Amino acid sequence: MSLLSQLNDEMKNAMRAKDKNRLGVIRMALSAIKQAKIDNQKEMSEDDILALLTKMIKQRKESVAMYTEGGREDMAASEQAEIKVIEEFLPQALTAEEVQQFITQAIADTSAASMADMGKVMAILKPQMQGRADLGKVSAQVRTALNS
């Protein structure tokens, strides 16, 4: 089942269950997908939708940090709840060992030897890890591996 179909089905389930919070988050995600489709003037692929959902989670994590810093625990909790709903639609997260295996394999596949080859390595890793790992952290790990 495609991610878009899954989101639509879960929206209907949330309506039936009268779960307003879940319904709001799913509608927000669907709205963001439709807006991106209009902005890019093309159909959204599964990878595009995953990237969009990942971006939404990243934005909410940043908001949680700001709300916590500002002493607004109620707002931070609301953002955390939204993160949990969005994460349900992402593939299962990779473990640290799996991430390291992917990095090692990508470096070997590209024969990367220095930081100049980082773009090649990340080009291989990004499609494999989209929505399954924090690409910022993966990038830092690749940088460390190439510098050693």
Side-chain angles (χ1 to χ4, degrees):
M1 176 185 294
S2 77
L3 199 49
L4 192 56
S5 301
Q6 187 181 356
L7 280 164
N8 282 316
D9 288 347
E10 285 301 315
M11 181 178 68
K12 292 173 191 170
N13 292 339
M15 284 178 177
R16 288 185 197 111
K18 295 185 178 17
D19 187 346
K20 290 182 181 179
N21 294 332
R22 182 175 173 78
L23 178 60
V25 174
I26 294 171
R27 281 184 171 161
M28 186 174 20
L30 287 169
S31 176
I33 292 167
K34 287 178 186 171
Q35 185 63 46
K37 178 181 172 183
I38 291 168
D39 291 347
N40 298 327
Q41 297 180 351
K42 67 173 186 138
E43 284 297 319
M44 298 288 286
S45 69
E46 289 290 307
D47 289 338
D48 294 336
I49 294 172
L50 277 176
L52 186 67
L53 293 177
T54 303
K55 180 180 174 185
M56 291 175 72
I57 288 175
K58 181 179 177 189
Q59 290 169 337
R60 275 149 190 79
K61 285 182 179 178
E62 291 170 358
S63 296
V64 166
M66 287 191 299
Y67 286 138
T68 303
E69 186 179 305
R72 294 292 311 266
E73 295 303 322
D74 56 329
M75 296 297 289
S78 172
E79 294 287 326
Q80 278 294 76
E82 288 184 11
I83 289 171
K84 284 189 172 109
V85 172
I86 297 169
E87 282 178 340
E88 292 176 24
F89 300 100
L90 296 177
Q92 186 172 358
L94 296 171
T95 64
E97 296 82 30
E98 290 172 325
V99 169
Q100 194 56 50
Q101 288 173 351
F102 275 116
I103 291 171
T104 305
Q105 184 63 42
I107 289 173
D109 289 349
T110 59
S111 302
S114 68
M115 284 300 296
D117 300 321
M118 184 162 172
K120 294 177 193 173
V121 175
M122 288 305 294
I124 290 176
L125 292 175
K126 188 174 179 181
Q128 295 173 338
M129 296 185 170
Q130 186 71 49
R132 299 175 67 194
D134 181 349
L135 292 177
K137 291 178 182 175
V138 171
S139 176
Q141 287 178 303
V142 170
R143 189 173 295 114
T144 303
L146 290 176
N147 283 332
S148 57

